[in-house]
Amino acid sequence: MKKFFGIVGVFILVWAILSGIFMFFTDSGYRLRAMAAETILSSQHRQWAKYTFLPQSDLDAMLENINNPNYVNSASGSGGLVNVKSDKDLYVHVESIESYTNPTHYYKGKVITISNPNRVKLVSSKLSDHGEQINVIAKRAKALAAINASGFVDLDGHGNGGASTGVVIEDGVIKSPNKNTKEFVAGITKNGVMITGKYSANELVKLGVQYAAGFKPQLIVNGQKMVDGDGGWGWGPRTAIGQKADGSIIFVVIDGRQTRSVGASIKEVQDLLYERGAVNAMCMDGGSSSSMYFNGDNITIPSSRNNIPRYLPNIWALIPQAGDTLHVDVDGEKVISFEGIGL
């Protein structure tokens, strides 16, 4: 028995030495530690990033990229790139996605494509100082589908969704307190055109924006990819919204921080939107807030405690209107029964 444990001990020692050499003396090991650091720095637990043992200068550069990404105001150069084609035939396609890169990097998620951008609205919690879960807001709004939207004050991961951050506009009314402060934001105009960039609430209203929510970074601007490298945010749960040239809106939610789905990089989210024809796209709040709702149910699994959807300040919601003819499918299977949308 002593011989057995001795062999096991030697094996563990050799494994530890080889792992240490890989992690600290190879380019691949550095990249793995850098990805781990980016993942931590883009979460609520930035203090743990130092245990990746990267130089402080590298960590500072990563944090600067997360806090102040490059941006381009899409409205300044759209040049009629988006031509909204909306009618009473509302096409909604729900797609399950997954990617397996290697044993440490894989994800699962959902994509919803919505043909009419004028059916997508920002809807807020009805509570004055507290958020609500995505399904609660969506059902009250009679939404067919929804994703989480704004970031919110979330010290140590215990935020209740009651204090959104950045620009918030709902039904053309500015909900955020700082109307002249430029923030990263995505908005949808009266004509159904999505605008992204760094704008103040007042600037967006002058541009005809009816609905807006803030987060970052931009992914695609006027047909051009915005992400350098892997994006600098590590792997994690992601939420994003995009628009195609025909006006169609794309919702994306990727699960993360789970054994079933580690999460995606910012670049991967950009690329899957680009492949589906998005000409403008932007991240919404990610992490444990990432959630998607469809037809009465939450169809993604958040990384929050016990996988229970978090309290959110607002959501992007697909709300069909009277007279719409719905054409809905989930992974190619036609849906004919709809939950609580009032049609």
Side-chain angles (χ1 to χ4, degrees):
M1 184 63 70
K2 290 182 178 179
K3 183 177 180 180
F4 170 77
F5 283 114
I7 293 172
V8 171
V10 171
F11 175 80
I12 293 173
L13 178 61
V14 171
W15 178 84
I17 292 172
L18 292 176
S19 297
I21 292 172
F22 171 77
M23 293 298 291
F24 291 93
F25 297 98
T26 68
D27 290 340
S28 296
Y30 176 86
R31 287 195 296 271
L32 191 59
R33 287 189 295 135
M35 182 63 75
E38 291 168 351
T39 300
I40 296 167
L41 289 170
S42 61
S43 74
Q44 297 291 334
H45 307 286
R46 292 175 172 176
Q47 70 274 17
W48 298 107
K50 61 185 178 183
Y51 294 111
T52 60
F53 300 105
L54 293 175
Q56 187 60 46
S57 59
D58 289 7
L59 296 177
D60 291 343
M62 292 174 184
L63 190 57
E64 174 64 20
N65 177 66
I66 291 169
N67 289 335
N68 298 292
N70 294 328
Y71 73 93
V72 175
N73 286 340
S74 65
S76 63
S78 59
L81 193 62
V82 175
N83 182 21
V84 176
K85 300 175 182 178
S86 59
D87 54 38
K88 288 296 184 178
D89 282 301
L90 179 58
Y91 293 87
V92 181
H93 172 61
V94 183
E95 175 188 1
S96 301
I97 57 172
E98 60 180 289
S99 174
Y100 183 92
T101 303
N102 57 54
T104 62
H105 182 203
Y106 48 90
Y107 66 77
K108 295 183 179 181
K110 302 285 185 181
V111 176
I112 299 180
T113 304
I114 302 156
S115 66
N116 189 344
N118 294 305
R119 299 296 182 264
V120 176
K121 307 175 186 296
L122 191 82
V123 184
S124 298
S125 166
K126 290 296 185 183
L127 304 179
S128 60
D129 60 353
H130 204 290
E132 296 178 293
Q133 292 174 310
I134 186 171
N135 54 299
V136 173
I137 304 175
K139 288 179 180 179
R140 183 175 58 246
K142 297 184 178 180
L144 176 60
I147 57 173
N148 63 294
S150 292
F152 53 92
V153 177
D154 191 24
L155 296 176
D156 299 320
H158 299 300
N160 67 8
S164 61
T165 56
V167 174
V168 178
I169 299 173
E170 186 176 354
D171 292 320
V173 177
I174 298 172
K175 299 286 188 176
S176 41
N178 299 317
K179 298 182 180 181
N180 292 305
T181 303
K182 294 180 184 291
E183 307 274 6
F184 287 98
V185 64
I188 298 178
T189 71
K190 299 173 184 177
N191 298 321
V193 176
M194 192 172 90
I195 293 174
T196 72
K198 204 168 184 179
Y199 297 92
S200 71
N202 279 335
E203 286 175 328
L204 289 173
V205 169
K206 290 177 182 178
L207 289 169
V209 168
Q210 288 289 97
Y211 303 97
F215 210 71
K216 58 190 174 188
Q218 287 176 303
L219 300 172
I220 305 167
V221 178
N222 298 325
Q224 301 299 312
K225 294 182 178 182
M226 292 292 290
V227 176
D228 293 325
D230 62 23
W233 289 60
W235 298 324
R238 306 290 178 207
T239 299
I241 184 171
Q243 185 170 46
K244 298 168 65 172
D246 66 0
S248 298
I249 293 291
I250 307 174
F251 289 166
V252 175
V253 170
I254 293 175
D255 293 334
R257 301 176 186 165
Q258 304 170 52
T259 55
R260 62 179 291 276
S261 181
V262 173
S265 69
I266 295 296
K267 181 183 186 300
E268 287 172 316
V269 181
Q270 169 197 259
D271 289 349
L272 72 86
L273 279 157
Y274 190 84
E275 290 163 3
R276 285 160 180 77
V279 295
N280 285 297
M282 191 163 193
C283 280
M284 293 289 99
D285 192 12
S288 54
S289 298
S290 287
S291 301
M292 181 178 283
Y293 168 94
F294 172 73
N295 203 20
D297 294 311
N298 297 323
I299 62 172
T300 57
I301 302 175
S303 63
S304 48
R305 183 175 297 179
N306 299 320
N307 304 122
I308 298 172
R310 297 191 72 187
Y311 295 107
L312 306 171
N314 48 50
I315 62 173
W316 286 111
L318 163 61
I319 306 175
Q321 294 184 3
D324 286 345
T325 301
L326 292 180
H327 307 272
V328 183
D329 74 272
V330 176
D331 294 324
E333 295 291 327
K334 186 176 181 181
V335 178
I336 57 175
S337 178
F338 304 106
E339 179 75 23
I341 62 173
L343 295 182

